[in-house]
Amino acid sequence: MNEKAVKQDFGKAQKIVKAVKKIASKELLWSLFVLLISIPTALIISYVISSDAHILNEEVSRDIEEVSEIITHEQPLFRVVFGICVVGLYFSRMVVSAIKNSLEDKK
């Protein structure tokens, strides 16, 4: 009997390990996807901000650049926008996942 219980516990442990590996690999792939999508998005947004900000107001353009240079030293606007894109995309992915899970629970 004891041997049978050990085999059952081992089988449960294997299932848990497989589930954890699946979740970890899924999160890794999502993280890579978010990072890869954020780079072109950040480049486009930083280009639009840097090229169009001076058209609207020269003082606002300088203020934006000064604040972003304080936050990051090299390529300030790109780094700030990249961080915002990463957080925004990953947050939206989490919201979609939460909505999907809540809809599955109602079924």
Side-chain angles (χ1 to χ4, degrees), residues 8-53:
Q8 286 178 343
D9 288 343
F10 184 71
K12 290 177 185 178
Q14 281 183 327
K15 288 180 183 179
I16 291 172
V17 168
K18 284 182 183 179
V20 168
K21 283 183 180 180
K22 184 178 177 181
I23 291 170
S25 63
K26 184 179 177 182
E27 289 301 317
L28 176 67
L29 290 176
W30 269 109
S31 299
L32 290 174
F33 175 74
V34 165
L35 290 174
L36 290 175
I37 294 299
S38 295
I39 291 172
T41 306
L43 286 172
I44 292 168
I45 292 172
S46 61
Y47 173 76
V48 168
I49 289 173
S50 65
S51 66
D52 291 342

Side-chain angles (χ1 to χ4, degrees), residues 27-89:
E27 289 301 317
L28 176 67
L29 290 176
W30 269 109
S31 299
L32 290 174
F33 175 74
V34 165
L35 290 174
L36 290 175
I37 294 299
S38 295
I39 291 172
T41 306
L43 286 172
I44 292 168
I45 292 172
S46 61
Y47 173 76
V48 168
I49 289 173
S50 65
S51 66
D52 291 342
H54 71 280
I55 294 171
L56 299 174
N57 189 342
E58 189 74 31
E59 188 175 323
V60 172
S61 174
R62 273 188 262 120
D63 290 342
I64 291 172
E65 290 175 7
E66 288 174 8
V67 169
S68 62
E69 285 176 8
I70 291 170
I71 296 171
T72 58
H73 301 291
E74 297 174 18
Q75 301 174 347
L77 188 58
F78 173 74
R79 287 185 184 177
V80 171
V81 173
F82 178 74
I84 292 170
C85 288
V86 167
V87 169
L89 285 171

